[in-house]
Amino acid sequence: MYNVKLLNKISKIGLDKFTENYSYSEDMKAADAIMVRSASMHEMELEESTLCVARAGAGVNNIPVDDLAKKGVVVFNTPGANANAVKELVLAGLFLSSRKIIPAAEWALTLKGSGAETLKLVEKGKSQFTGPEILGKTLGVIGLGAIGALVANAAIALGMDVVGYDPFLSPEANLNGDIKVYSDLEDIYKNSDYITVHVPLNDSTRGMINKDAISSMRDGVKILNFSRDALVSDTDILEALESGKVSRYVTDFPTDSVIGVENVVALPHLGASTPESEDNCAKMAAAEIMDYLENGNIKNSVNMPKADMGKIPVGFKRVCVILQNDENTVANVTAAV
Ligand code: MLT
């Protein structure tokens, strides 16, 4: 019997993947595995029994990934499982950044009660909300992983020119041939009317959209951040909005200082909030946990090398040895005995 502790509400369709050999609950003791969405695990004491953590989502900044690797605890994420949901919201963000949809809708509300005059007032007032089309404009996509690649391809389908940057571009990335991939980030900054960021938050990406980066961008650039708050320097983006260097900032990770600022569109981390993506992530996370606990296989781990030796034959047991030097996990060896 395996015990799974749930740190957040997890989709039932995902939990239904567990066989009768599994029990799961939010107050589970002696957990073999943990399933988490956005709860922070940084201050959490892990039980000795816990062998793995699966994040139902892509970002893992709520999990102490390196510390867990040192303890031999495998951390999984679910790359791609919510990519379509995020892509769709990024496309909405692209339109919100271009046309003044939100201020216009807010203004329309103020016309309530105008009776027969309403349509006349609509026609008279609408010119203040004119905004450009995206057709023929250039979108710069920073990070061409599961989400970035979908966004880039969709923008091509919408008639945009797309330029991309990804120092870790996967040979499996399925990119439209019309997307121009640059090896220098400066080229993205110089050539884009719209820039969208799709990279994980880590020490090398924290604050990457800062004063220096913005100074290389086109005047009036529109920036979209559907990845993580700290990728963008609040102070620097506010200054750039004030000067008009950045004409619109759309973020799914609003901080207190950007909420309510003119030309900021702030959404409450809705990227993956669709029933489809919650189901996909939970199903993938459950499958990763089961394959590890039952067979020792490691797929989609962010802190351990991949291991795949198929299913353990009936009557055998899994033995997994994790080899580490002082800093890193260097290999894991799994055997059926
Ligand atoms: C992700 O990291 O997968 C997205 O930001 C959505 C989420 O946090 O659930």
Side-chain angles (χ1 to χ4, degrees):
M1 195 74 186
Y2 299 108
N3 295 333
V4 181
K5 185 176 175 72
L6 311 176
L7 296 189
N8 295 101
K9 193 168 176 313
I10 303 289
S11 129
K12 173 162 173 352
I13 294 201
L15 296 175
D16 284 349
K17 285 270 153 205
F18 288 124
T19 60
E20 64 285 355
N21 293 330
Y22 288 78
S23 50
Y24 50 81
S25 71
E26 292 193 4
D27 46 21
M28 181 60 70
K29 296 279 177 280
D32 300 285
I34 288 180
M35 261 176 132
V36 60
R37 286 181 61 192
S38 52
S40 173
M41 293 184 64
H42 285 284
E43 309 304 325
M44 186 177 158
E45 257 325 300
L46 227 57
E47 293 176 294
E48 282 291 315
S49 57
T50 303
L51 299 172
C52 63
V53 173
R55 161 126 220 277
V60 287
N61 56 310
N62 56 328
I63 304 171
V65 170
D66 294 337
D67 290 352
L68 293 187
K70 287 186 186 127
K71 292 183 182 147
V73 176
V74 184
V75 179
F76 299 98
N77 69 348
T78 58
N82 59 21
N84 187 65
V86 181
K87 173 205 81 182
E88 289 186 5
L89 199 70
V90 173
L91 294 179
L94 200 54
F95 291 113
L96 292 175
S97 76
S98 213
R99 311 284 286 270
K100 296 184 178 163
I101 299 167
I102 292 182
E106 284 168 354
W107 176 75
L109 286 176
T110 68
L111 302 180
K112 181 78 187 156
S114 306
E117 286 297 287
T118 310
L119 286 179
K120 222 194 277 168
L121 291 169
V122 162
E123 294 308 323
K124 201 164 159 224
K126 71 179 186 187
S127 63
Q128 55 186 312
F129 303 112
T130 303
E133 298 178 23
I134 60 169
L135 184 75
K137 307 289 175 3
T138 301
L139 173 69
V141 184
I142 302 175
L144 294 164
I147 297 169
L150 287 184
V151 169
N153 290 344
I156 290 278
L158 289 169
M160 299 187 83
D161 293 329
V162 179
V163 294
Y165 169 84
D166 192 334
F168 309 104
L169 187 61
S170 158
E172 285 153 34
N174 190 10
L175 288 181
N176 183 301
D178 289 337
I179 297 166
K180 189 164 188 181
V181 179
Y182 286 122
S183 55
D184 188 345
L185 204 41
E186 284 290 311
D187 288 322
I188 299 286
Y189 296 153
K190 276 196 304 225
N191 291 301
S192 305
D193 305 300
Y194 301 76
I195 292 177
T196 183
V197 187
H198 299 286
V199 299
L201 176 64
N202 55 40
D203 289 342
S204 67
T205 59
R206 192 177 302 279
M208 63 181 283
I209 304 297
N210 56 21
K211 205 183 186 95
D212 273 0
I214 293 170
S215 69
S216 304
M217 296 178 191
R218 290 187 170 173
D219 291 346
V221 62
K222 296 166 177 37
I223 298 178
L224 282 70
N225 176 11
F226 285 77
S227 292
R228 284 296 179 263
D229 55 344
L231 295 169
V232 175
S233 155
D234 272 3
T235 323
D236 297 352
I237 196 96
L238 288 172
E239 199 180 302
L241 283 159
E242 177 74 32
S243 71
K245 175 76 184 176
V246 171
S247 63
R248 202 69 51 83
Y249 177 49
V250 184
T251 178
D252 204 19
F253 296 88
T255 56
D256 191 33
S257 46
V258 302
I259 289 174
V261 171
E262 199 180 352
N263 293 322
V264 171
V265 177
L267 301 173
H269 194 185
L270 286 184
S273 295
T274 67
E276 294 86 349
S277 105
E278 287 174 9
D279 292 347
N280 287 344
C281 289
K283 280 193 287 191
M284 196 190 272
E288 290 164 351
I289 289 174
M290 290 166 74
D291 201 18
Y292 181 57
L293 294 181
E294 294 172 29
N295 304 310
N297 292 333
I298 301 181
K299 188 164 173 221
N300 297 328
S301 172
V302 293
N303 68 348
M304 297 279 172
K306 187 174 171 184
D308 186 357
M309 48 176 266
K311 272 193 177 302
I312 295 278
V314 177
F316 282 72
K317 280 188 111 184
R318 164 187 66 82
V319 177
C320 177
V321 181
I322 291 169
L323 306 175
Q324 296 176 314
N325 63 19
D326 289 348
E327 292 294 316
N328 297 307
T329 297
V330 288
N332 48 48
V333 182
T334 308
V337 291

